[in-house]
Amino acid sequence: MGGAFLTEGRPAPGVEAVGGGQVKLFSGNANRPLAEAIAKALGVRLGEAVVERFPDGEVRVRLQESIRGDDVYLIQPTAPPVNDNLMELLVLADAVRRSSAGRINAVIPYFGYARQDKQTQGREPITARLVAGLLEHVGIHRVITVDLHAPQIQGFFYHPVDELSAVRLFAEYLEGRGLTQDAVVVSPDSGRAEQARRLSERLNLPLAILAKRRTGPLETQVSYVIGDVAGKRPLIIDDIISTGGTIRRGVEALLAAGAAPEVVVMASHAVLVGNARENLAHPAIREVVFTDTIALSPDLGYTILPTAPLLAQAIRRVHTNQSVSVLI
Ligand code: R5P
C-alpha cells in the first residue's frame, strides 16, 4: 500500500475510525518480523509489551502503554511451537481485555489446529472449534487470517472472520517469473481444489486434482490423477506443507502420469517439520514458494512472498469500516 495512512495510530484526515480509538498493534513471539512489516506498511509502530516466560515456562505478558478505548490488533500465527504460540495469543488478549481496549482483533496469519476440524472417527475432539471458543472467551471480536485449512472454520466463531488468500500473490509471482508456459495447476487433494481452481482461472491454465486416500492415521496415498498432466509443468498449490509427504507423493504420481519433471510447489504456510526438507528436495521440484505467514529463514533457499501488504490493507479496512472482500 502506498505511504502511511496513519500517523501514530490516528486515521488519515477524513477517514473515520470505528469507535474512534487508535490502531494499536502488538506482537507475540511467533513472527515478529511479519508484525514489524505490517506496522511499517500501516505507518504505525508496534505497541510496547513484554511477552516472555517465567522461569517455569509460564507465559508472562505486560503491556507497556495504555490502550484504553483503542482498536487493538494482536499479530500471532499459531505455528509451531503451536501450544506456546497459542497460549501467548490468549494471554496477550487477556491483558488487552483487562486494559479496557475498545476492540480486540486477532491477526492469525496461520491458524494452527485447523486440520482437526471434524471427527474422522468416534471419540475424537474437534480442536479447531475448541481453539475458536478459547479465542472468543478471551474477548477477541474479530479474526483476520490467511487460507484456513477448511473455510468452514469461519463458522466456528460467533464473531466475524476475514479470511484472506495467498492465491493472488502466487498468481502474480508465477506470471512475473514466466512460470505459466505449458503448465497445469495441481491440487494435491480434494480439499485444495477450490484454491487451485481459483489459481488456474486467474492464470487461464488447466487444472488437475490428485485423489488422496488416507491409509492410516498419519499415512496417505495418491490413488489417481484427475485431469491431463502429460507433458505439462505442474504448479502444485497447497495450504500447508508440514512433513512434505503429501507433496512428495503428489510429485511421484504426477511423474507417473507423464508430467514434466519441472514442478513448482506453492504453499501458504511453511509449517516444515520432520522430513520436510528431504521431501522438498525431490529432484523433480524446481522451486518451492511459501508466504511468510510463518517465519522462515531465507537461508533455506525457498522463495518467500511477503503477506504484510495484504494484512496491513485488511487492518486498514477493518479499522476504517470498509469492505475487506475486495482483497480476497
Ligand atoms: C491436508 O489436507 C493439507 O492440505 C496438507 O496437504 C497437509 O496437511 C500437508 O501435510 P504434509 O506436508 O505432512 O503431508
Side-chain angles (χ1 to χ4, degrees), residues 174-258:
L174 293 167
E175 277 180 328
R177 294 292 305 271
L179 291 168
T180 55
Q181 187 116 27
D182 301 322
V184 55
V185 175
V186 178
S187 171
D189 55 36
S190 56
R192 275 314 98 194
E194 171 58 17
Q195 199 182 12
R197 182 192 60 77
R198 281 192 278 132
L199 182 64
S200 75
E201 282 179 3
R202 268 182 186 271
L203 298 173
N204 204 16
L205 288 174
L207 173 67
I209 299 169
L210 307 184
K212 191 166 89 173
R213 194 166 63 91
R214 192 152 287 288
T215 48
L218 301 173
E219 273 297 306
T220 58
Q221 248 178 26
V222 176
S223 19
Y224 46 93
V225 177
I226 305 166
D228 181 14
V229 298
K232 299 197 174 78
R233 298 189 177 116
L235 307 172
I236 304 180
I237 182 165
D238 207 345
D239 59 330
I240 298 166
I241 295 181
S242 180
T243 64
T246 300
I247 294 297
R248 181 179 49 77
R249 287 185 289 275
V251 168
E252 281 160 9
L254 288 165
L255 295 177

